[in-house]
Amino acid sequence: MKRLFCGMLAAVMLLLAGCGGTGRVDVKQAKTLAELKGAKLAAQAGTFHADALEQVEDVQASTYPEFSDLLTALKSGAIDGYIAEEPTALSVCGADDSLTYLPLKNNDTGFTATAADVGIAIGLKKGSELREQLNAILAEITPEQRAELMEQIVALAAGKSVEAFALEIPETDGANGVLRVGMECAYEPYNWTEMNTPSLGAVPINGEGKQGLYANGYDVQVARYVAARLGMQLEIYAMSWESLLPALQSGTIDVIAAGMSPTAEREREIDFTDTYYESNLVVIIRK
């Protein structure tokens, strides 16, 4: 009788497992946000991505301090997927063919998001006189240049070669001073860190212990263009995401160019330029 009971129990367990009794969601089959219900999803803390998690019904949500931690958690199976912008997904998946992403469309099959939520802009101190100058300079970059530059940066991040960027950087002698720009240098393809042998357009990272380190990415190329048009010398400073706003407000850096969205919450603390790139939110998953 005991053996019969154990056999029946085992059969029930197998049946539950076959019917999804483990509680895990097959995110690969999701075509809309609603079909991610119950999934284990994550985002970087302090970003709109983390807020977007709340739009998924019954989501098993978690946040991580660094973007690289999300990738590690996904590969280990700790999470089913994490929220990012589409250029980031193209960069990550281009470098690792075990990963893919769900191409959900904002406000259609995907997340409800405003242009400010999914756009990136340069952050400045409240009342900064630079804002109008920067807006005028950013307006010089055509939509075609912005799109082509992102394609080139994604290719570069995936290890491919690029001969020349769509955004040509004008010559400058830096006579108008230094523009100190803060970013994570850890958020491909917007900004990342390289060692020893810099790629096309890479800029040295300033600061103690940063010798031999270089920053590159979409934000870096836009910062190069802006600094050159201002007639200023560019300095890049790498810092954690949560340190960026305090560093700007304290005067440690002059601006933030870090794939940062000009959300209403952030605009209460700092000013922003017009956006210089917009994209869809996606969910990066394992194939």
Side-chain angles (χ1 to χ4, degrees):
M1 189 68 180
K2 183 177 180 181
R3 285 195 297 270
L4 178 61
F5 175 78
C6 291
M8 291 174 64
L9 180 60
V12 170
M13 293 293 286
L14 285 171
L15 180 61
L16 286 174
C19 294
T22 57
R24 296 306 290 267
V25 176
D26 186 5
V27 295
K28 296 188 294 295
Q29 305 303 317
K31 298 294 189 296
T32 66
L33 201 66
E35 293 171 357
L36 291 172
K37 177 180 178 179
K40 298 180 73 172
L41 301 181
Q44 186 179 19
T47 66
F48 173 69
H49 304 166
D51 296 335
L53 277 173
E54 299 177 7
Q55 297 182 31
V56 185
E57 188 176 354
D58 295 333
V59 66
Q60 299 182 57
S62 58
T63 58
Y64 291 78
E66 302 294 338
F67 210 78
S68 58
D69 296 335
L70 294 167
L71 186 59
T72 300
L74 178 62
K75 289 184 175 182
S76 71
I79 57 176
D80 297 319
Y82 65 89
I83 300 173
E85 283 100 353
E86 193 166 24
T88 301
L90 290 170
S91 177
V92 169
C93 299
D96 188 337
D97 60 10
S98 71
L99 303 176
T100 186
Y101 70 96
L102 303 175
L104 308 179
K105 185 178 179 181
N106 297 345
N107 307 307
D108 184 356
T109 58
F111 297 95
T112 299
T114 66
D117 293 329
V118 296
I120 59 173
I122 296 174
L124 310 98
K125 288 183 72 173
K126 280 289 187 184
S128 173
E129 297 178 356
L130 274 177
R131 187 171 182 271
E132 294 307 315
Q133 287 180 273
L134 295 183
N135 277 338
I137 292 170
L138 291 174
E140 298 171 356
I141 309 174
T142 67
E144 292 77 16
Q145 285 177 308
R146 297 178 192 213
E148 186 179 352
L149 177 62
M150 182 57 81
E151 289 179 6
Q152 293 173 322
I153 291 295
V154 167
L156 195 67
K160 300 176 183 178
S161 61
V162 175
E163 293 184 2
F165 289 130
L167 184 61
E168 186 176 347
I169 311 301
E171 295 291 334
T172 180
D173 58 6
N176 290 338
V178 174
L179 182 68
R180 300 167 300 169
V181 180
M183 59 183 65
E184 287 181 285
C185 297
Y187 182 39
E188 294 183 8
Y190 295 100
N191 52 81
W192 68 78
T193 299
E194 299 175 349
M195 296 180 62
N196 301 321
T197 307
S199 60
L200 177 68
V203 176
I205 297 176
N206 284 268
E208 187 176 349
K210 303 295 183 181
Q211 292 79 7
L213 298 181
Y214 298 82
N216 209 343
Y218 193 86
D219 294 323
V220 174
Q221 299 314 311
V222 171
R224 286 182 66 209
Y225 183 81
V226 165
R229 287 287 289 108
L230 288 171
M232 303 177 78
Q233 177 184 338
L234 175 65
E235 289 185 356
I236 299 290
Y237 291 86
M239 52 190 63
S240 64
W241 179 260
E242 63 271 13
S243 299
L244 288 169
L245 262 64
L248 178 64
Q249 292 168 326
S250 69
T252 302
I253 56 176
D254 301 309
V255 300
I256 298 170
M260 183 173 283
S261 302
T263 61
E265 181 180 359
R266 294 191 185 113
E267 285 191 320
R268 287 194 285 269
E269 299 186 60
I270 64 175
D271 284 340
F272 284 97
T273 63
D274 297 334
T275 57
Y276 56 92
Y277 195 80
E278 293 180 15
S279 67
N280 284 324
L281 289 181
V282 301
V283 179
I284 300 177
I285 61 173
R286 296 183 302 278
K287 284 184 181 177

